[in-house]
Amino acid sequence: MLSGNPAEQPAPVVRPEVWETYGPADLSAVPVFAGGFINFGYWEAVDLEQPLSQGDRIRSEQDLYRHVLDAVRPAGGRAVEIGCGLGLGCALALEEYGPTDMTGVDIHPQQLRRAREANSRLLGARSPRLRFVLGAAEGLPLGDAEFDCLYSVEAAQHFPDLDAFAREAARVLRPGGRVAVASFFSVEGAPEPAERLAGLLDSFASGLDIARPVSRLGEALADAGFVDVRVASIGPQVWPGWDRWLARLWAPGTWPRNFLAAWEQQILDYYLVTATRP
C-alpha cells in the first residue's frame, strides 16, 4: 500500500506547447488516440493487411506498454511511470505485471485530474496500490532509491533536459533498478534533422516535439551512472501501423502522414532505450 505524500515542491513549469496540447486541447480526446492512451502504438500483433478496427488501435497502444514493461520487469517491485497521461498504462501495469505498487507522474495538472477520474476504481480500493503525483521529469517529487523500475512511454520527446531526467531516474531507482524509455528521436547522423522535421511535421515546427538524436538519451543515462545502456529501433513495429491508422482520419499530404515519410527518409525513428542502475 502506498502511504505518505510526495515532498512539497513548487509546481513545475510547463512549456506553452505542452500546456495547450495536453490541457485545453486534451489530446487524449482526439479520435486518433482511441481508448484514451496517447501513443502511436506497437502494431506487431495486428494484421495491417486487413481493415483496422478501434479494437486493433487500442491493442496497439496497450502492446506498446507491454513491450516497455517486458523490459523493466516490474513484478514484485515498486514501479513509476514518467509522463503517465491518463494513467491507463499504470492500470495495465498493475493488472498484468504485478508490481507491489504503481506511481504515475505527469507535469500537467489537468492530465492528473483526468487520470484520477479514469482510475477512480483503483484509487478507491481499500488498500490502493496506485497514486498520481504532479512533477516534471527533470525534478521528480519522489524519494531517493524509492523504486525498482522506472519507465516512460512516448513522453521523452517533450523533455527539455535529458541529462536532468537521467540524473533523476538514477536518484529515485534502487541499485539494480531498471529504466526503459520508448519514444521517437532523430536518426543518428541524419543531416539537419531539426530543420527537416520542422518542415515535415507541425509538432516539431511548433516546438511541441524536440528533435534530438537517440544517442543523447543513451549518453545522458551513461553519464548519470547507468550501465548496460541499450538502444533498439522498434520503428518497423510502429510507423507502418501508425500510418495505416492515420489513413482512416487524415488524407495523403496532410502533415500527420509525414511521420512515415520522415522514417522512410531516415530522419526519424522510434526507439526503446533501456539501462540498469548499478
Side-chain angles (χ1 to χ4, degrees):
M1 177 177 175
L2 292 169
S3 61
N5 294 315
E8 291 294 327
Q9 293 189 5
V13 175
V14 185
R15 295 190 296 119
E17 303 85 3
V18 172
W19 180 269
E20 174 63 25
T21 300
Y22 294 97
D26 188 8
L27 194 62
S28 65
V30 175
V32 73
F33 295 110
F37 291 88
I38 310 175
N39 68 62
F40 292 173
Y42 188 86
W43 298 82
E44 187 173 54
V46 177
D47 185 355
L48 299 181
E49 299 303 316
Q50 299 297 320
L52 298 179
S53 68
Q54 180 162 293
D56 292 327
R57 173 63 179 127
I58 294 172
R59 168 73 183 274
S60 79
E61 296 170 296
Q62 293 172 333
D63 280 354
L64 183 57
Y65 268 95
R66 293 182 180 114
H67 190 66
V68 173
L69 289 163
D70 286 345
V72 292
R73 304 183 295 274
R78 304 192 70 192
V80 58
E81 178 179 354
I82 310 303
C84 66
L86 270 65
L88 302 184
C90 294
L92 185 151
L94 275 175
E95 292 168 1
E96 296 187 13
Y97 285 82
T100 56
D101 56 60
M102 183 77 230
T103 296
V105 179
D106 204 276
I107 197 172
H108 206 302
Q110 292 183 32
Q111 286 290 73
L112 289 182
R113 175 179 55 78
R114 296 176 186 127
R116 293 182 178 115
E117 292 172 355
N119 295 279
S120 58
R121 178 185 61 83
L122 288 171
L123 293 170
R126 179 171 298 178
S127 298
R129 296 162 54 211
L130 175 65
R131 66 172 173 172
F132 294 106
V133 299
L134 181 69
E138 300 84 3
L140 297 172
L142 307 170
D144 294 352
E146 189 175 348
F147 296 95
D148 299 287
C149 68
L150 177 151
Y151 68 90
S152 181
V153 176
E154 207 165 302
Q157 73 274 9
H158 304 317
F159 296 170
D161 189 337
L162 293 177
D163 292 306
F165 161 67
R167 290 192 297 269
E168 282 291 272
R171 179 182 66 79
V172 304
L173 283 173
R174 295 168 180 162
R178 295 275 294 166
V179 60
V181 175
S183 191
F184 47 92
F185 296 86
S186 63
V187 173
E188 202 67 34
E192 300 180 335
E195 293 80 0
R196 295 168 71 193
L197 288 171
L200 286 169
L201 296 161
D202 285 4
S203 59
F204 284 95
S206 71
L208 175 65
D209 297 330
I210 303 171
R212 292 166 295 200
V214 69
S215 62
R216 281 292 300 113
L217 177 57
E219 291 164 358
L221 291 168
D223 289 345
F226 284 93
V227 298
D228 194 26
V229 178
R230 301 188 183 189
V231 176
S233 165
I234 58 172
Q237 291 78 41
V238 174
W239 302 117
W242 174 235
D243 188 69
R244 278 290 315 279
W245 179 253
L246 288 174
R248 292 172 37 123
L249 304 165
W250 297 86
T254 53
W255 78 262
R257 302 294 301 278
N258 283 337
F259 278 104
L260 183 66
W263 178 56
E264 291 175 337
Q265 295 174 32
Q266 299 183 9
I267 313 169
L268 190 71
D269 203 357
Y270 209 109
Y271 297 92
L272 176 65
V273 182
T274 58
T276 301
R277 186 190 185 283

